[in-house]
Amino acid sequence: MHFLVGEQGVALSVEVMSDDAGIGRELDMSFTIPVEPNYVLPDGTPGFADQFGPVILQKCPKLGRDELGRPRRLLTRVIGPRTSGEPSPAPLRIAASAANAASETSGCGAKRLPLPERAAELESRPLPEAAGTKECGWLADVQLPRNPSGRPWEFAERSAGDMPITSCALVDPAKGKGGAPVVEFSGWYGDWTDEPFETLLAANVDYPSDRSVQGPLMAEALGRATAQCDGEAASFRAHTVPRANDLSERYVTGAQLRPLLLKFAAEQSRTHGCSGLKLPAKTIHPMTQT
């Protein structure tokens, strides 16, 4: 389903779909470059914003499972003018409203979503407070590399709970105005993640031509582990950003990032009841030069 809407003079495109293959293809465009989701929706809303606009991905408890035994889902995406500034609340409200309407019309049965008045703000906390948090508790038990800025690391638990995407980020309080996430760890749950992750790795990692991009892989700035959760595929992702415009100056190296991904993936697999955890080998592949 595709339609155009407007709010406060902004024209937006809204797309709603419910099959896993379509959802995977739709999210491919969010994965062509290794940027992490921007969690601008209210706490508890199962979604994020990419470079095109907000995306909401809900389970449909009243529609049961498909013929392969996978939970049925509903994806709502709003595409508006691309901008590097702070996200406007208008697309967020439209996305939540469209998701609510689509859930009701389709009989999805998803929980009704709140309509946000503003975008959620990054809330970082001192690293010692990570202990006891759902998605970042593992940070209390690992040896972290030194922050190149010289400031103590902070962390942000950017999504938690029964979500299709979970996130924990290391924050450099010296970056930007008030700090910014610079090393990201995220869990992606559902078979719909397969195609987007293959797109991500193929577009950004210089891997041997005889190696498949499916499954675990570790590169200089990007890594993936996999597991089976609730009968579906899951992917665990780690990504670090450059300190400046020079891609060689990253907050952590691939060799430093890999053990952190292993710890994050193991903890996610444990807390989310997953099995068959597969971790990337020690080989650190170079990133594709652009």
Side-chain angles (χ1 to χ4, degrees):
M1 178 167 51
H2 179 274
F3 50 96
L4 296 174
V5 296
E7 180 175 328
Q8 297 177 352
V10 180
L12 302 165
S13 169
V14 180
E15 297 178 341
V16 179
M17 60 188 61
S18 58
D19 65 288
D20 271 6
I23 288 172
R25 288 192 299 270
E26 179 64 26
L27 290 179
D28 270 356
M29 65 181 183
S30 303
F31 281 70
T32 54
I33 54 176
V35 295
E36 287 292 331
N38 185 10
Y39 295 90
V40 298
L41 292 155
D43 185 39
T45 299
F48 62 95
D50 61 15
Q51 64 269 38
F52 302 100
V55 177
I56 295 175
L57 186 62
Q58 302 163 283
K59 281 187 179 180
C60 296
K62 290 187 177 180
L63 296 182
R65 295 176 177 259
D66 65 16
E67 61 276 6
L68 298 178
R70 302 173 300 194
R72 296 187 185 275
R73 293 180 173 86
L74 186 70
L75 179 141
T76 304
R77 174 194 279 283
V78 173
I79 300 176
R82 296 182 66 177
T83 175
S84 59
E86 291 298 318
S88 164
L92 306 182
R93 285 196 298 271
I94 290 170
S97 179
N100 288 337
S103 176
E104 184 175 348
T105 300
S106 66
C108 169
K111 181 181 177 182
R112 190 165 184 82
L113 303 174
L115 305 185
E117 293 300 321
R118 61 186 178 86
E121 298 178 356
L122 177 72
E123 295 183 4
S124 63
R125 297 158 60 186
L127 198 59
E129 296 182 17
T133 61
K134 183 174 178 62
E135 310 300 348
C136 294
W138 61 279
L139 286 173
D141 301 320
V142 297
Q143 183 69 39
L144 292 172
R146 177 181 175 274
N147 184 353
S149 75
R151 295 281 297 276
W153 288 115
E154 295 184 358
F155 80 98
E157 186 180 46
R158 305 214 287 164
S159 67
D162 185 20
M163 304 279 281
I165 307 163
T166 58
S167 172
C168 176
L170 284 177
V171 175
D172 179 10
K175 185 176 177 66
K177 297 180 180 179
V182 295
V183 187
E184 295 263 8
F185 304 91
S186 49
W188 303 73
Y189 295 91
D191 287 337
W192 59 272
T193 65
D194 285 336
E195 288 185 37
F197 265 87
E198 290 164 19
T199 297
L200 175 74
L201 297 175
N204 295 282
V205 178
D206 186 7
Y207 59 93
S209 58
D210 60 348
R211 187 204 188 284
S212 170
V213 297
Q214 298 177 1
L217 184 70
M218 195 70 222
E220 291 171 351
L222 178 68
R224 178 197 189 190
T226 63
Q228 288 287 315
C229 308
D230 193 25
E232 292 193 90
S235 291
F236 308 112
R237 170 174 161 182
H239 174 229
T240 181
V241 301
R243 292 191 61 199
N245 293 328
D246 184 356
L247 295 181
S248 65
E249 284 195 56
R250 301 187 185 278
Y251 275 84
V252 299
T253 65
Q256 292 171 324
L257 188 61
R258 180 178 175 271
L260 301 181
L261 171 60
L262 268 56
K263 180 68 175 180
F264 172 73
E267 188 64 12
Q268 288 271 296
S269 187
R270 183 186 68 81
T271 59
H272 291 266
C274 307
S275 62
L277 178 62
K278 296 180 180 179
L279 303 170
K282 293 183 179 180
T283 301
I284 308 296
H285 298 279
M287 299 293 285
T288 302
Q289 299 298 315
T290 57

